[in-house]
Amino acid sequence: MGDKKIQETTEAQIAVHWQEEEYYYPSTKFIGQANLTDPEVFDRFSLDNFPQCYVEFAEMLTWYKYWDEVLDTSDAPCWKWFKGGKLNASYNCIDRHLKDNKNKTAIHFVPELEEERVDHITYQELYVRVNEFAALLRDFAGLKRGDRVTIHMPMSAELPITMLACARLGVIHSVVFGGFSASACADRIIDSNSRVLISMDAYYRSGNLLNHKVNADEAVELAAKEGQVVDKVLVWQRYPGKYSSETPMVDGRDYFVNEVVKDYYGSRIEPEQMLSEDPLFLMYTSGTTGKPKGCQHSTGGYLSYVTAMSKYIQDIHPEDVYWCMADIGWITGHSFIVYGPLALCASTVIYEGVPTYPDAGRSWRIAQELDVNIFHTAPTAIRALRKIGPDEPAKYEYHFKHMTTVGEPIEPEVWKWYESAVGKGEAIIVDTWWQTETGGFLCSTVPGIKPMKPGSAGPGVPGIHPIILDDNGDEVTQPGIAGNICIQNPWPGCFQTIWGDRDRFVDTYFGRYCKNPESKDWRDWPYLAGDAATKSADGYYRILGRIDDVINVSGHRLGTKEIESASLVVEEVAEAAVVPVAHDIKGKEPDLYVSLKPGYEASDEIAQKISDAICEQIGKIAKPRKVWLVPDMPKTRSGKIMRRVLGAISNKGDVGNVMTLANPEVVETIRTMVQG
Ligand code: WTA
């Protein structure tokens, strides 16, 4: 008894109460066509075969020169993969497909307005446009190998064209999510020392043509105040030949790409032969504190990894139409809209707007029209689609063979709706757990080999060897007891460092568990993901959220996700978020925020029903102080619920700056409701 008590109250451990879900098995039809069905892959990628096993991934690419060494650990923990090898990412995503597939669609660009036609760009067309723009970047903007350039663009075909043109020249791109503010853009310009900013005049969002160019002006001005001069702003036009923004162009600084590129029509640029370990791009991740971290991703390791993940986990075949509904401004879009699918010569869909514009059926109409058969999205979008149009998917003639969920833990209830309604019971689902830092997937089932389990990401993907550690660095082996999930081995997709801040990189991701900072042996450097997780008896990992998202009630640690999951079992509930509130006696108490599906009115009965459901599924210990039925959750632009804001409201604290949220107005409504 005494022992058990200690286990339940150490820092990293959380008692997990939820039930194991039943397996769902992939259909024989799916297995019959899958890229990876040989269970021996897990032996091939065992730690005994590390790092040699990863040659299988590198061989999916075309190299100018093979590597001298698979893994160089001499600068631990800044690993170098396929050291000495030479390749070019743009060549691998375009040129090498031309011989057999030049007339195949590379990109389907879907404008938000339904009356506008879908643009189908072939690999040949992509080749031409990337070359011409690369020539412009080199000869007009003066960019060369190793320079950084900031790209602040919306979802458009021009965004991957811009990225691939940079990659062709060996210029390191730093894409800033289009919905981010000018000041977020300026921070990234400054940190990466970009002297060129690439922008677009306007784009559609919920039916409105937004002025985007205005952000470029403001960002350049803010950066200048900090001493970072941007001397050229290259502006793509949403409607080529027509300027769609009211913000004037600045003479001698701003240029329309559509005009300048005419001087480069017909140009062809020989791809730079990049070293495998040369950086391909920076992707900034905000984290909860401190300034954004510029995650630096490599050329050879990253591209090998995302190509292999796209093939084995996304099951992409050249004939598939693949739609990842993320934004290219996030890592998911980099890896699984642009680099992975294009390296495999797939057709990738880029949708400009919101999935529910003009109505809840839009996503499914796009799927039907383009005959999409692989679909990739996040729990937040799934919850939104379930909330406003639970019966919509059935109205459309589309058939997915494969679906992905990524970005947050998915509640089993939501997973089941995704499987039956969106997937029509025909599609397999992969729940892919990974991070901006990791380049590609860490945990997921291999769809043609392992069964699915709602709410569980699954085992490590081939080559990834996770381990759950407690605060003393001891392995947690007991199912149902959670700890800090770490990865024991390096892998090619992992970022190389934080741009300009190696100490922070080593500290944040390795500081906690590395016992010997001088060691050059990778075994001494487990990677700390910063998530809490539990491992079931079958080796499947269930991610509980960030280590900090844990509530300690009377010395009993509860994962916020399990309480949220329990409330989603109640019919009327669309979304739920739990935050800790200070309590004199218990230490902390959970406060629960819930939004209801349309058609339901908030009432005391519903609140009571939710509270009862939690007590029933988890226990009285998890009973919320109060169930707040709110009109909507405060969310980030990428759709993650801002628990920090709700926590501040519950604790009568300062909500801080909420202007970067997707829906800042809802904060005041909730504050009034809670604080009176
Ligand atoms: C969370 C997104 C549960 C996790 C690719 C991680 C997930 C953070 C999942 C990284 C998943 C991502 N199940 N949690 N399938 N995928 N997360 O950097 O907390 O935007 O650490 O990368 O999202 O978010 P990021």
Side-chain angles (χ1 to χ4, degrees):
M1 213 21 226
D3 276 348
K4 182 143 191 294
K5 184 107 211 242
I6 288 159
Q7 270 205 343
E8 280 187 356
T9 50
T10 61
E11 263 316 287
Q13 294 177 326
I14 311 157
V16 176
H17 309 79
W18 53 29
Q19 303 293 307
E20 283 289 319
E21 295 283 334
E22 301 284 323
Y23 287 131
Y24 283 59
Y25 290 88
S27 65
T28 45
K29 187 171 168 205
F30 179 83
I31 296 171
Q33 60 81 61
N35 280 327
L36 183 58
T37 52
D38 176 7
E40 278 181 12
V41 67
F42 290 102
D43 299 329
R44 284 208 308 281
F45 282 84
S46 70
L47 280 178
D48 292 341
N49 294 329
F50 180 87
Q52 211 54 35
C53 52
Y54 280 118
V55 167
E56 181 172 328
F57 291 2
E59 281 177 343
M60 293 179 187
L61 302 180
T62 308
W63 296 75
Y64 298 115
K65 173 181 174 288
Y66 279 111
W67 46 92
D68 307 315
E69 209 180 337
V70 174
L71 175 65
D72 171 9
T73 64
S74 61
D75 190 25
C78 298
W79 318 116
K80 293 191 180 70
W81 282 94
F82 312 118
K83 194 180 170 215
K86 287 185 182 169
L87 77 167
N88 183 282
S90 154
Y91 180 89
N92 273 280
C93 292
I94 309 171
D95 305 42
R96 67 168 178 157
H97 305 317
L98 297 181
K99 190 170 147 288
D100 296 326
N101 286 298
K102 61 171 164 300
N103 292 324
K104 189 193 152 161
T105 300
I107 295 170
H108 297 281
F109 172 69
V110 183
E112 194 190 63
L113 298 187
E114 267 183 303
E115 59 266 32
E116 289 184 9
R117 306 296 309 206
V118 176
D119 200 3
H120 308 278
I121 298 172
T122 62
Y123 274 93
Q124 176 67 22
E125 171 79 2
L126 185 62
Y127 172 76
V128 169
R129 296 189 63 186
V130 165
N131 271 279
E132 291 170 350
F133 190 55
L136 184 159
L137 291 178
R138 188 187 67 184
D139 299 341
F140 180 75
L143 290 168
K144 53 176 197 316
R145 182 173 179 150
D147 289 348
R148 278 81 53 205
V149 62
T150 298
I151 303 173
H152 193 202
M153 287 174 67
M155 287 290 277
S156 54
E158 288 76 10
L159 178 48
I161 288 170
T162 302
M163 293 160 68
L164 291 164
C166 291
R168 201 163 186 88
L169 299 172
V171 169
I172 303 168
H173 59 71
S174 164
V175 177
V176 180
F177 169 55
F180 267 155
S181 65
S183 106
C185 179
D187 289 344
R188 289 153 177 75
I189 290 174
I190 297 162
D191 192 70
S192 62
N193 297 114
S194 301
R195 43 159 286 268
V196 174
L197 172 65
I198 306 176
S199 182
M200 196 174 229
D201 56 354
Y203 64 100
Y204 280 99
R205 199 86 199 145
S206 300
N208 304 308
L209 188 61
L210 304 184
N211 177 359
H212 187 59
K213 163 65 165 64
V214 65
N215 296 314
D217 286 38
E218 206 182 309
V220 169
E221 199 174 302
L222 289 168
K225 281 196 190 132
E226 302 292 318
Q228 179 60 46
V229 174
V230 171
D231 57 52
K232 279 202 171 59
V233 178
L234 304 176
V235 183
W236 289 95
Q237 290 172 327
R238 172 65 176 76
Y239 296 100
K242 179 178 145 205
Y243 188 39
S244 304
S245 159
E246 300 104 57
T247 307
M249 296 288 278
V250 175
D251 214 26
R253 186 197 73 185
D254 301 352
Y255 299 90
F256 289 126
V257 174
N258 307 97
E259 283 170 12
V260 182
V261 78
K262 291 185 178 146
D263 295 339
Y264 299 94
Y265 279 175
S267 295
R268 297 292 178 265
I269 300 286
E270 198 51 41
E272 274 293 304
Q273 301 200 2
M274 304 305 288
L275 285 172
S276 175
E277 64 266 28
D278 280 335
L280 177 62
F281 66 84
L282 306 179
M283 166 61 60
Y284 284 84
T285 175
S286 13
T288 36
T289 50
K291 72 170 186 164
K293 300 173 273 194
C295 295
Q296 175 185 319
H297 281 283
S298 72
T299 306
Y302 171 82
L303 196 63
S304 303
Y305 199 68
V306 299
T307 304
M309 291 299 113
S310 298
K311 179 161 181 177
Y312 288 163
I313 308 296
Q314 299 301 117
D315 201 53
I316 296 179
H317 298 59
E319 61 272 24
D320 291 324
V321 182
Y322 168 85
W323 183 16
C324 171
M325 216 164 65
D327 195 287
I328 295 175
W330 310 117
I331 192 70
T332 301
H334 274 50
S335 300
F336 298 112
I337 298 178
V338 180
Y339 285 112
L342 294 180
L344 290 176
C345 196
S347 298
T348 187
V349 177
I350 295 179
Y351 173 49
E352 177 179 30
V354 292
T356 49
Y357 181 84
D359 58 60
R362 182 65 192 278
S363 300
W364 320 126
R365 279 201 295 285
I366 293 172
Q368 174 179 282
E369 181 175 329
L370 298 176
D371 203 15
V372 171
N373 66 343
I374 306 184
F375 184 67
H376 189 149
T377 191
T380 179
I382 304 170
R383 286 186 219 111
L385 290 161
R386 171 176 176 257
K387 179 177 175 180
I388 70 164
D391 306 319
E392 288 298 310
K395 298 181 191 160
Y396 297 92
E397 253 310 307
Y398 69 82
H399 295 279
F400 296 150
K401 69 165 182 178
H402 182 294
M403 305 193 298
T404 300
T405 165
V406 60
E408 277 182 280
I410 184 166
E411 300 83 356
E413 275 310 299
V414 177
W415 192 100
K416 287 174 193 166
W417 180 79
Y418 193 34
E419 198 273 339
S420 62
V422 179
K424 304 180 175 179
E426 303 165 334
I428 70 94
I429 297 180
V430 290
D431 180 348
T432 58
W433 170 68
W434 60 295
Q435 309 177 298
T436 302
E437 294 86 337
T438 72
F441 308 143
L442 295 175
C443 286
S444 166
T445 49
V446 175
I449 301 179
K450 301 262 183 187
M452 306 156 250
K453 196 160 72 173
S456 271
V461 296
I464 296 290
H465 301 275
I467 186 168
I468 298 191
L469 299 177
D470 67 16
D471 280 354
N472 305 320
D474 295 323
E475 184 174 1
V476 177
T477 48
Q478 208 180 321
I481 299 290
N484 301 326
I485 187 165
C486 297
I487 310 300
Q488 301 176 62
N489 57 295
W491 67 98
C494 191
F495 71 138
Q496 302 175 290
T497 187
I498 294 173
W499 180 258
D501 200 346
R502 185 194 161 115
D503 290 348
R504 189 174 178 202
F505 168 72
V506 177
D507 250 33
T508 312
Y509 301 95
F510 303 94
R512 190 126 169 205
Y513 292 121
C514 177
K515 297 194 183 86
N516 173 15
E518 300 305 315
S519 173
K520 306 293 174 208
D521 185 340
W522 57 266
R523 291 170 195 82
D524 290 327
W525 295 93
Y527 169 87
L528 174 75
D531 283 334
T534 157
K535 183 182 179 178
S536 308
D538 57 7
Y540 280 40
Y541 292 89
R542 186 158 200 164
I543 307 298
L544 306 170
R546 303 298 296 166
I547 290 171
D548 322 326
D549 290 343
V550 160
I551 304 183
N552 197 325
V553 186
S554 310
H556 199 101
R557 293 175 63 98
L558 300 164
T560 49
K561 202 73 234 174
E562 60 179 320
I563 304 179
E564 291 163 11
S565 242
S567 31
L568 273 150
V569 169
V570 176
E571 164 72 26
E572 295 88 343
V573 175
E575 288 189 296
V578 169
V579 296
V581 195
H583 185 276
D584 290 350
I585 296 155
K586 301 183 194 168
K588 290 276 164 33
E589 243 185 340
D591 225 10
L592 177 64
Y593 290 85
V594 165
S595 70
L596 301 178
K597 291 179 191 160
Y600 291 110
E601 284 290 316
S603 70
D604 291 347
E605 288 70 47
I606 295 183
Q608 189 60 45
K609 205 161 125 187
I610 297 168
S611 185
D612 291 348
I614 292 166
C615 293
E616 199 173 292
Q617 291 172 69
I618 302 176
K620 280 243 162 55
I621 187 84
K623 185 174 178 332
R625 172 183 80 139
K626 174 100 182 140
V627 178
W628 304 102
L629 301 173
V630 297
D632 199 4
M633 298 287 176
K635 284 187 194 148
T636 64
R637 301 292 179 101
S638 71
K640 293 188 189 184
I641 296 174
M642 284 297 281
R643 292 185 179 72
R644 178 181 66 72
V645 170
L646 295 172
I649 294 173
S650 283
N651 290 288
K652 304 208 167 30
D654 178 12
V655 296
N657 183 359
V658 295
M659 289 324 286
T660 57
L661 297 188
N663 52 353
E665 66 292 342
V666 82
V667 175
E668 191 47 36
T669 315
I670 299 177
R671 205 189 59 75
T672 315
M673 176 187 254
V674 176
Q675 299 178 353

